[in-house]
Amino acid sequence: MSRVDLIIIGGFLGAGKTTSIVRIARHLLEMEKKIGIITNDQGSNLVDTNFLTSAGLSVLEVKEGCFCCNFDQFLMRIQDFTERDKPDIILAEPVGSCTDLVATIFRPLDRGLTGALNLRPLSIVVDPRRLRKLMMEESSEFHSEINYLFRKQLEEADIIVLNKVDTLKEEEIDEINLFIKETFKWSELINVSAKEDKNIDKWIEKLFIGSPSERVLDIDYTLYGDAEARLGWLNLTCQLEKDEEIDMNSIASTILDMVKDIFFKERYEIAHIKLYGTSEKDWLKASITSIYEDVNFDKTALIPDKRWNLIINARVDVEPEKLESKMQEVLDLIKKKYKVNIDEVNIQCFSPRFPVPRYRL
Ligand SMILES: Nc1nc2c(ncn2[C@@H]2O[C@H](COP(=O)(O)OP(=O)(O)OP(=O)(O)O)[C@@H](O)[C@H]2O)c(=O)[nH]1
Ligand SMILES: [Mg+2]
């Protein structure tokens, strides 16, 4: 039996991992490869799983904890895929607040499953705006523990994927490239735009040359745990209903703008808030990746409808209680402004637990 390639695409929240996975998957499908995708989150009701499924891809999830803390579930999902769909390649996206993947995922997999899997190099996707802040550490919007986590993620990359280069001028790309090459000397570097499908083919080539370095991080778990605990994590589902058609695009962008304005006033940085809506006929997805950035739609809704299901996944550098109360406030404002009923509200809100990997080798 031929071995399945496992490609892990990590990186900080909002860096563009899921967008990249869609692009990579499309290229691989064109090459007639069979693909499976594994998503991951600290909670349930995941925007990414729904988005990838809407894109026509085959997806399984590891929820309620990261791959390393839920390693057995991760293994089961790999086995589910290999038994059910028999993919050539599995693409896996660990939670964006996770690091130390070599010691807690690559090495345990390598020791236990050498016969079944081909581990491909570890890619860490990075948002240039966040990286520029790391270059000027004192100006970061996040608490210092989160910067520590961000830096550790980059330190263990086999390939650093500088994404969103469509937002940069040539000289900005050069400046960031220089910083990456000087700071993370052992990694390969590639500049891509997942949005515009730039250099994705070259990235795929790199993924199939060589194997993971297995360079284990020197990491302080107390700081890492503190970084995760800093983040307010909210996964919300609800249903919007009205006796006439709802302008869901307007509601989605108003929700994200209102949340952004609230947190901007008190300078609580947003890592990523993503919103996914579905009706019987259509769907939309929108995101915001900083209080300093604008709302971005990956897809707007084109067909109006009277009933929409909504999922919101928010990760903000704020206490979870505050995140939950502000989100409730926003939903109340939306109800009044758009005269819609918002029912079946289900909220999970917490800070990620201290990371306790199943294995660390
Ligand atoms: N301009 C630009 N935007 C991008 C690019 N890639 C992703 N984005 C946008 O960045 C936002 C976050 O992208 P995702 O792919 O959801 O990021 P992620 O890393 O999977 O986020 P988490 O799963 O929350 O950790 C979305 O609004 C994307 O449309 C890119 O190449 N260029
Ligand atoms: Mg994602």
Side-chain angles (χ1 to χ4, degrees), residues 337-354:
K337 183 171 161 73
Y338 290 90
K339 300 186 175 51
V340 286
N341 293 323
I342 303 185
D343 299 313
E344 296 183 32
V345 181
N346 176 348
I347 301 183
Q348 264 187 325
C349 195
F350 55 90
S351 286
R353 285 190 304 266
F354 192 85

Side-chain angles (χ1 to χ4, degrees), residues 78-226:
I78 293 173
Q79 272 155 7
D80 289 346
F81 261 136
T82 48
E83 282 163 20
R84 195 190 71 180
D85 298 359
K86 303 194 172 33
D88 303 301
I89 298 160
I90 296 175
L91 293 157
E93 176 182 340
V95 186
S97 60
C98 206
T99 189
D100 200 26
L101 302 173
V102 172
T104 63
I105 309 261
F106 279 76
R107 293 176 132 220
L109 278 178
D110 201 30
R111 307 279 153 95
L113 279 173
T114 31
L117 285 175
N118 257 333
L119 293 174
R120 307 312 323 178
L122 170 62
S123 300
I124 296 293
V125 182
V126 63
D127 179 317
R129 215 190 59 83
R130 296 249 182 261
L131 196 70
R132 286 175 82 92
K133 293 288 180 184
L134 187 75
M135 289 160 68
M136 306 174 280
E137 256 166 87
E138 70 286 358
S139 73
S140 174
E141 312 92 347
F142 284 120
H143 281 95
S144 59
E145 300 89 339
I146 298 179
N147 287 334
Y148 176 80
L149 165 67
F150 181 78
R151 182 181 277 273
K152 287 291 159 190
Q153 290 181 323
L154 288 162
E155 271 181 26
E156 70 172 343
D158 292 312
I159 309 171
I160 293 181
V161 182
L162 180 67
N163 188 30
K164 310 191 186 182
V165 294
D166 56 286
T167 61
L168 301 175
K169 300 192 191 88
E170 278 304 320
E171 55 272 26
E172 290 173 321
I173 297 177
D174 291 344
E175 185 195 6
I176 298 174
N177 279 185
L178 190 67
F179 173 77
I180 292 174
K181 282 180 189 150
E182 281 176 354
T183 317
F184 308 102
K185 295 186 176 72
W186 45 85
S187 302
E188 291 223 42
L189 166 66
I190 184 151
N191 301 315
V192 311
S193 166
K195 186 178 178 181
E196 297 185 352
D197 200 357
K198 185 176 173 204
N199 278 349
I200 302 297
D201 49 351
K202 297 207 175 74
W203 180 7
I204 292 172
E205 272 169 31
K206 281 189 190 291
L207 285 170
F208 286 94
I209 304 169
S211 35
S213 66
E214 295 227 352
R215 197 180 36 252
V216 170
L217 269 186
D218 177 14
I219 183 164
D220 176 340
Y221 261 68
T222 306
L223 270 177
Y224 171 23
D226 285 349

Side-chain angles (χ1 to χ4, degrees), residues 32-51:
E32 308 207 336
K33 300 287 184 196
K34 204 161 180 200
I35 307 299
I37 297 171
I38 306 180
T39 55
N40 180 214
D41 196 62
Q42 308 284 12
S44 49
N45 295 315
L46 315 189
V47 167
D48 285 354
T49 306
N50 285 279
F51 171 59

Side-chain angles (χ1 to χ4, degrees), residues 11-20 48 93 95-96 163-167 192-196 272 274 285-289 296-298 315:
F12 194 66
L13 301 155
K17 299 178 291 298
T18 308
T19 316
S20 298
D48 285 354
E93 176 182 340
V95 186
N163 188 30
K164 310 191 186 182
V165 294
D166 56 286
T167 61
V192 311
S193 166
K195 186 178 178 181
E196 297 185 352
H272 194 188
K274 45 196 171 178
K285 180 178 175 264
S287 271
I288 186 157
T289 53
N296 177 47
F297 275 83
D298 294 288
R315 291 82 180 91

Side-chain angles (χ1 to χ4, degrees), residues 177-285:
N177 279 185
L178 190 67
F179 173 77
I180 292 174
K181 282 180 189 150
E182 281 176 354
T183 317
F184 308 102
K185 295 186 176 72
W186 45 85
S187 302
E188 291 223 42
L189 166 66
I190 184 151
N191 301 315
V192 311
S193 166
K195 186 178 178 181
E196 297 185 352
D197 200 357
K198 185 176 173 204
N199 278 349
I200 302 297
D201 49 351
K202 297 207 175 74
W203 180 7
I204 292 172
E205 272 169 31
K206 281 189 190 291
L207 285 170
F208 286 94
I209 304 169
S211 35
S213 66
E214 295 227 352
R215 197 180 36 252
V216 170
L217 269 186
D218 177 14
I219 183 164
D220 176 340
Y221 261 68
T222 306
L223 270 177
Y224 171 23
D226 285 349
E228 290 212 282
R230 280 275 177 204
L231 291 162
W233 209 270
L234 175 140
N235 287 4
L236 176 152
T237 56
C238 64
Q239 196 175 78
L240 279 73
E241 212 170 352
K242 198 174 173 176
D243 47 17
E244 55 194 77
E245 281 162 351
I246 297 173
D247 183 350
M248 202 56 221
N249 295 323
S250 168
I251 291 185
S253 81
T254 307
I255 290 176
L256 293 177
D257 275 332
M258 280 179 172
V259 179
K260 172 177 132 168
D261 289 347
I262 288 171
F263 289 128
F264 183 82
K265 279 195 193 108
E266 298 180 59
R267 298 293 188 276
Y268 289 111
E269 174 61 331
I270 291 170
H272 194 188
I273 304 180
K274 45 196 171 178
L275 180 156
Y276 175 84
T278 36
S279 69
E280 278 184 3
K281 302 167 201 151
D282 203 359
W283 61 279
L284 61 79
K285 180 178 175 264

